[in-house]
Amino acid sequence: MFEANRLTEPLIWYVSYRSNISPKRDDGERKLTRATRKFKDEAEARQFAEQIIEKGWSAIAGTLNPHTPKKTIASTQILDWIAGKH
């Protein structure tokens, strides 16, 4: 029963991240690759963001629409957010 409820819980947080190392395309230009993961709560999002930052990657986070109140965590604020200061 717990697992079934877990699957239906809404995903309300996201962490969008990218490596600071951009792979080169065939034409020699750098290609920026960004990925996003969704989470059911802020604690899971913070934990994942911390892992991304530890790898030296950049990240932003926030709540997904239509969740309110809307929260957006810029890359310049991410370390304070992870530390619980935001």
Side-chain angles (χ1 to χ4, degrees):
M1 180 84 168
F2 174 75
E3 284 299 314
N5 288 340
R6 182 175 169 87
L7 294 176
T8 61
E9 289 181 39
L11 300 174
I12 58 173
W13 277 89
Y14 73 89
V15 174
S16 184
Y17 59 97
R18 71 175 175 85
S19 167
N20 291 335
I21 302 169
S22 305
K24 285 187 180 179
R25 299 187 313 197
D26 291 338
D27 61 7
E29 296 224 7
R30 296 277 180 191
K31 176 184 173 189
L32 297 178
T33 304
R34 181 167 289 281
T36 301
R37 283 196 48 194
K38 299 173 188 172
F39 302 91
K40 67 180 177 87
D41 61 40
E42 188 173 3
E44 286 183 356
R46 280 182 206 243
Q47 183 179 15
F48 180 75
E50 184 174 20
Q51 294 169 0
I52 292 301
I53 297 300
E54 286 175 355
K55 290 182 179 183
W57 297 2
S58 62
I60 60 172
T63 53
L64 295 163
N65 289 331
H67 181 75
T68 56
K70 180 72 176 155
K71 292 186 180 179
T72 304
I73 313 300
S75 60
T76 56
Q77 302 168 319
I78 202 89
L79 292 176
D80 285 342
W81 177 70
I82 290 169
K85 299 177 186 176
H86 191 275

